[in-house]
Amino acid sequence: CTCTLLGHTQAVSSVAWGGDAVVSGSWDHTVREWDVETQTCATTLSAGHAVTSVAASRDRLLASAHHDRKVRVWDPRAGADALVRSSLVSHKGWVNAVAWSQENPHHLVSASHDTTVKVWDMRSAVPLHTLAAHEGKALCVHWARGGRIVSGGTDGKVKEYSPP
């Protein structure tokens, strides 16, 4: 181990690289951005609910998924005063995972216990697409280069979707 980042008070549920920083989400209701070089927490964002997943965009926006059925989008460039830039509400169950598009900095995808995968554009509060993804809970999602989306669920299936 080359580095241990200390600060969360409960389980760390998700990690992601965000440029030169590591981003983490925790059951302690926080999203943290870490400076790996100094091994210090650069930003702590209070989400108000346990974090199930985090993702960082190439433009340094952060997305977090939560049990309260919301996806929160943050701009850590605002520092300690960073508030939720947007709160995306459309899922009918816990949101388990989020991932940013590799091609479009405005696009985000989320997976939920409500069996769906939703494609979002940050310039709108309504999902662009809702995919009936799984016969059970959608647990994970990834947006690969070329616009392909892949998800996995409790139905034991991994599904791939063409670019919307």
Side-chain angles (χ1 to χ4, degrees), residues 14-32:
S14 184
V15 293
W17 279 106
D20 295 331
V22 169
V23 178
S24 61
S26 170
W27 294 353
D28 68 7
H29 301 193
T30 65
V31 173
R32 293 177 184 254

Side-chain angles (χ1 to χ4, degrees), residues 5 13 21 26 42 48 56 59 61 63 71 100 105 123 134 157 162 164:
L5 304 171
S13 53
S26 170
D59 290 343
L61 293 179
V71 173
W100 289 97
R123 298 166 291 194
H134 292 274
K157 297 175 183 172
S162 298

Side-chain angles (χ1 to χ4, degrees), residues 16-23 33-34 55-58 60-62:
W17 279 106
D20 295 331
V22 169
V23 178
E33 190 176 44
W34 303 89
S57 78
R58 66 179 188 219
R60 290 207 53 226
L61 293 179
L62 305 179

Side-chain angles (χ1 to χ4, degrees), residues 78-94:
D81 296 329
L83 298 175
V84 176
R85 180 173 169 178
S86 59
S87 189
L88 306 175
V89 181
S90 178
H91 281 293
K92 306 285 187 251
W94 290 5

Side-chain angles (χ1 to χ4, degrees):
C1 177
T2 60
C3 168
T4 300
L5 304 171
L6 302 173
H8 285 294
T9 59
Q10 293 186 30
V12 175
S13 53
S14 184
V15 293
W17 279 106
D20 295 331
V22 169
V23 178
S24 61
S26 170
W27 294 353
D28 68 7
H29 301 193
T30 65
V31 173
R32 293 177 184 254
E33 190 176 44
W34 303 89
D35 181 324
V36 178
E37 189 174 310
T38 63
Q39 298 184 21
T40 59
C41 181
T43 308
T44 300
L45 306 167
S46 180
H49 294 275
V51 179
T52 56
S53 177
V54 292
S57 78
R58 66 179 188 219
D59 290 343
R60 290 207 53 226
L61 293 179
L62 305 179
S64 56
H66 303 271
H67 295 159
D68 67 349
R69 304 179 307 196
K70 294 180 183 175
V71 173
R72 290 173 176 81
V73 178
W74 313 81
D75 189 346
R77 295 170 292 193
D81 296 329
L83 298 175
V84 176
R85 180 173 169 178
S86 59
S87 189
L88 306 175
V89 181
S90 178
H91 281 293
K92 306 285 187 251
W94 290 5
V95 183
N96 296 309
V98 288
W100 289 97
S101 167
Q102 301 294 310
E103 275 84 29
N104 188 325
H106 302 288
H107 288 178
L108 175 73
V109 66
S110 58
S112 170
H113 276 204
D114 66 8
T115 75
T116 68
V117 167
K118 292 185 184 273
V119 178
W120 304 88
D121 186 311
M122 293 301 93
R123 298 166 291 194
S124 172
V126 204
L128 289 175
H129 304 282
T130 298
L131 308 171
H134 292 274
E135 296 163 23
K137 299 168 186 169
L139 297 178
C140 52
V141 67
H142 180 75
W143 203 328
R145 294 203 183 278
R148 297 184 350 225
I149 296 170
V150 63
S151 68
T154 58
D155 57 5
K157 297 175 183 172
V158 175
K159 293 191 171 184
E160 180 185 355
Y161 311 91
S162 298

